[in-house]
Amino acid sequence: MSDKKELDVNAMPPSATELRQEVKKRESEEAKKQAKAKSVQEQKIADFAEDFLKSHVGEADILAVRRAVAAAVENGKFEAMVYTFSSDLCSDSGRAINSGDKSWPETLQGKAKEFYDRYQKFGKPQGFRLKAMIISFPNGMPGDVGFFLNWGSDLGS
């Protein structure tokens, strides 16, 4: 069917069975393509999770935070989202963050915990504030967490 031939108006058209088979073949190819894409995405998520839980905050991570802050300042903002990760990587799947529980830092793991510890050591003494928020809700459930660094005054920014 996908052959590009000259159309012979006198020839018999494909049968209904042949057309159904062609549609099913295309559906099958599309399903395989989607399954492969899903598998690739799942592997990326697994690799990110492994890196998140086993690796440490590095220079590139710190530079990314500084770039995000600099870009926000250039745009006249007093806050920047400086890090994101899946709420599944919190020990409670993001419930404490979502509910505003003051003990949310205790649920952090891996790089998120290290980022929070760095904030406590370097950011907080410099007058920064850090908040964590659920920034997506796929299927109504907590999705990604965003860390927001704020440097506005307490009087309105």
Side-chain angles (χ1 to χ4, degrees), residues 106-125:
E106 296 169 19
T107 70
L108 299 176
Q109 303 181 99
K111 281 187 171 183
K113 174 74 171 128
E114 283 191 40
F115 266 115
Y116 181 79
D117 291 345
R118 286 187 62 81
Y119 158 74
Q120 290 291 100
K121 184 175 180 179
F122 299 109
K124 191 173 183 179

Side-chain angles (χ1 to χ4, degrees), residues 119-140:
Y119 158 74
Q120 290 291 100
K121 184 175 180 179
F122 299 109
K124 191 173 183 179
Q126 291 291 94
F128 291 92
R129 289 183 304 282
L130 179 74
K131 68 179 174 184
M133 292 175 48
I134 303 296
I135 58 171
S136 66
F137 289 88
N139 301 318

Side-chain angles (χ1 to χ4, degrees), residues 47-93:
D47 291 347
F48 177 84
E50 182 175 350
D51 178 66
F52 179 91
L53 294 171
K54 292 182 179 177
S55 296
H56 297 283
V57 173
E59 280 186 31
D61 299 311
I62 296 165
L63 289 173
V65 169
R66 290 187 178 177
R67 279 193 297 271
V69 168
V73 168
E74 278 187 35
N75 290 316
K77 307 289 183 194
F78 292 94
E79 184 174 80
M81 185 169 66
V82 295
Y83 193 60
T84 62
F85 57 95
S86 173
S87 62
D88 290 338
L89 298 171
C90 292
S91 63
D92 69 346
S93 298

